[in-house]
Every structure is written in structure tokens, then in C-alpha cells.
Amino acid sequence: REILEVTTHRTNSKFSRNTHIALLFKTMAASALNLGSCIAGIPVKVHYSYFLLLLIEVVYSLRYTQTSPPYPMLIVFVFVLYGPVLLLTIVVHEFGHALTTLKLGGTVEGIVLWPLGGFALCGPTEALSGDLKVALAGPLMHIPMGIIWWGIYVAVTGGAHGYWPGSTIYLDVISSGAA
């Protein structure tokens, strides 16, 4: 309850808020793999449940190797999508929050990544407008990422399917029960 109050209500004690944020990071990071701190000294950790999601999705995709026609490359696609692509997307999003917090005078204890996203454990900035900028910085990072992923799509397909994915790409095959 105290941690929720610290993140949703402003108080006069900045030390108290930063202490609670550090405690939350230590609690989450205790069951996470350390990736290091390569950008601005911000420690990045991956919670072990992230790898469990990857394993579940890869095992789940094995059923498509038994369909007619079989989709053996789907296993590779699922591994790449839920592995490095999702991980990189989450990291960039969370660094958007973290670096904006540092720029606006706040503190950052670290970043923890897990299957449902991640969280940058950031202390508040000096003003509410700064906190709004921090909140918007993560989602805004998806604009350059979208451009990069689109460039990769065009480079991989060589424009053979057009420069924008058409209606012939069905991503619902991954999650649907019927093949």
C-alpha cells in the first residue's frame, strides 16, 4: 500500500519516495537476471518469467509442425518474435521513460523486464509536467521503432510483397486454435 501511495501521490519527502522506489526495485530484481548497465549507468534486469513465456510460446508453436501443410519456420518466427524482438522493444520503451526522467532531474533505480512489458523504476521529477513527459516518453519511442521494423520488413522481403504488409499476412495463425 505504501509503494502505491508513493507512486500515485506526491509528498514533500523526496527521500522517502526514492527509498520506496529502491525497495521495489530490489524486491523485483531479486528474481531477475542481470543484463548490466550500459546506458547512463541504469541497471537492466530480465525477470525469469520472461524466459518461461518464450518457452511456452515455442512449445505451443510445435503443434503447427503437425498440420497440413506444416509450418516448420513458425517455430523460428515465434522464437525471434518473443525473444529478441519483444525484448528489444521493451528495452527501448523503458529507456524512453528512464532517460527522460534523468534529463528532467529525477532518479532511476533500474529497469526490470518481464513478459507483460517492463518497468523503469523512476523517482519523480521536479514538476507534474515533467512526470507527464516521462509517462509519454515510453510510448513515443515506438514511432522510431516502427520505422526501424518497417525498414527490416522491406529489407527482408525485398519489396516482393509491397512496401506495406497487405491483407495476406495473417498473424492470428499464431494464436488461433484452428489451423
Side-chain angles (χ1 to χ4, degrees), residues 16 45 62 73 105 121 144-145 147 159 165 174-176:
S16 174
K45 297 180 181 279
L62 289 173
M73 286 304 292
L121 297 162
M145 279 191 294
I147 293 168
I174 296 172
S175 61
S176 70

Side-chain angles (χ1 to χ4, degrees), residues 35-97:
L35 293 182
S37 54
C38 60
I39 298 176
I42 301 170
V44 179
K45 297 180 181 279
V46 179
H47 195 268
Y48 293 120
S49 60
Y50 183 87
F51 302 106
L52 181 62
L53 170 74
L54 180 61
L55 178 67
I56 290 169
E57 290 298 330
V58 168
V59 168
Y60 186 72
S61 68
L62 289 173
R63 71 187 180 127
Y64 289 104
T65 61
Q66 306 302 317
T67 61
S68 180
Y71 298 102
M73 286 304 292
L74 182 65
I75 297 168
V76 174
F77 175 74
V78 166
F79 180 79
V80 170
L81 184 67
Y82 282 95
V85 170
L86 180 62
L87 189 69
L88 184 63
T89 301
I90 296 170
V91 167
V92 171
H93 175 101
E94 295 307 323
F95 267 111
H97 294 302

Side-chain angles (χ1 to χ4, degrees), residues 14-175:
K14 190 171 184 175
F15 175 77
S16 174
R17 287 179 290 191
N18 291 343
T19 303
H20 288 293
I21 290 168
L23 180 63
L24 178 62
F25 179 70
K26 288 177 185 171
T27 303
M28 285 300 298
S31 58
L33 177 69
N34 188 11
L35 293 182
S37 54
C38 60
I39 298 176
I42 301 170
V44 179
K45 297 180 181 279
V46 179
H47 195 268
Y48 293 120
S49 60
Y50 183 87
F51 302 106
L52 181 62
L53 170 74
L54 180 61
L55 178 67
I56 290 169
E57 290 298 330
V58 168
V59 168
Y60 186 72
S61 68
L62 289 173
R63 71 187 180 127
Y64 289 104
T65 61
Q66 306 302 317
T67 61
S68 180
Y71 298 102
M73 286 304 292
L74 182 65
I75 297 168
V76 174
F77 175 74
V78 166
F79 180 79
V80 170
L81 184 67
Y82 282 95
V85 170
L86 180 62
L87 189 69
L88 184 63
T89 301
I90 296 170
V91 167
V92 171
H93 175 101
E94 295 307 323
F95 267 111
H97 294 302
L99 294 175
T100 303
T101 298
L102 289 176
K103 183 177 180 184
L104 296 174
T107 59
V108 178
E109 292 296 324
I111 295 173
V112 178
L113 311 171
W114 64 310
L116 297 178
F119 36 106
L121 297 162
C122 303
T125 60
E126 297 298 323
L128 286 175
S129 62
D131 290 347
L132 177 63
K133 290 174 185 175
V134 168
L136 293 174
L140 287 175
M141 294 304 296
H142 292 277
I143 295 170
M145 279 191 294
I147 293 168
I148 291 169
W149 295 131
W150 175 78
I152 292 171
Y153 167 78
V154 170
V156 167
T157 63
H161 303 289
Y163 290 108
W164 192 255
S167 60
T168 57
I169 296 177
Y170 298 105
L171 293 179
D172 64 337
V173 170
I174 296 172
S175 61

